[in-house]
Amino acid sequence: QVQLVESGGGLVQPGGSLTLSCAASGSIFSINAMGWYRQASGKQRDLVATITSGGSLNYADSVKGRFTISRDNAKNTVYLQMNSLKPEDTAVYYCKVLVTTSVTRFTRAYWGQGTEVTVSS
């Protein structure tokens, strides 16, 4: 079994910054892609940013230049540094990690529990 624990959400004023983290633990053989998604109230869950095991990055157009995704492979953790936050960034942010488990060697996606980010003055 694999567990993901997210942290770092909260209330921030427009123009402010937050850093989200998501740590994976459990029966992990290897971690492939890691990413962040967000879901605003009443809307679908959308991709924010992804990072592959090789370090390739992908960002939604709406966050390019403001958000930075990174990972620490030794800690099985993915981060999302969010700068110049806007009210439209308000959402629940979820991490998604593609894990090959050590027991079955099957690869599947796991989701974090979500952390709320509110950008408001």
Side-chain angles (χ1 to χ4, degrees):
Q1 190 66 298
V2 174
Q3 298 81 38
L4 300 182
V5 177
E6 299 181 29
S7 61
L11 173 65
V12 64
Q13 292 187 340
S17 298
L18 281 175
T19 300
L20 307 181
S21 64
C22 172
S25 63
S27 303
I28 297 171
F29 176 73
S30 65
I31 294 180
N32 305 310
M34 308 178 86
W36 290 94
Y37 294 72
R38 66 186 181 187
Q39 187 167 19
S41 180
K43 296 188 176 181
Q44 67 181 20
R45 190 174 298 184
D46 293 324
L47 179 147
V48 176
T50 60
I51 181 169
T52 68
S53 57
S56 295
L57 308 176
N58 182 47
Y59 293 96
D61 288 341
S62 59
V63 307
K64 283 181 181 177
R66 301 188 298 122
F67 291 10
T68 301
I69 188 170
S70 62
R71 60 191 285 171
D72 184 333
N73 292 326
K75 297 181 179 180
N76 290 337
T77 299
V78 60
Y79 304 95
L80 186 68
Q81 173 69 43
M82 304 185 293
N83 298 325
S84 303
L85 282 161
K86 305 175 181 180
E88 51 264 42
D89 294 318
T90 295
V92 178
Y93 284 70
Y94 298 89
C95 65
K96 178 183 176 182
V97 179
L98 201 60
V99 176
T100 299
T101 59
S102 56
V103 176
T104 65
R105 298 297 171 94
F106 288 160
T107 300
R108 56 156 285 192
Y110 291 84
W111 288 90
Q113 80 280 8
T115 185
E116 191 163 0
V117 172
T118 302
V119 184
S120 175
S121 55

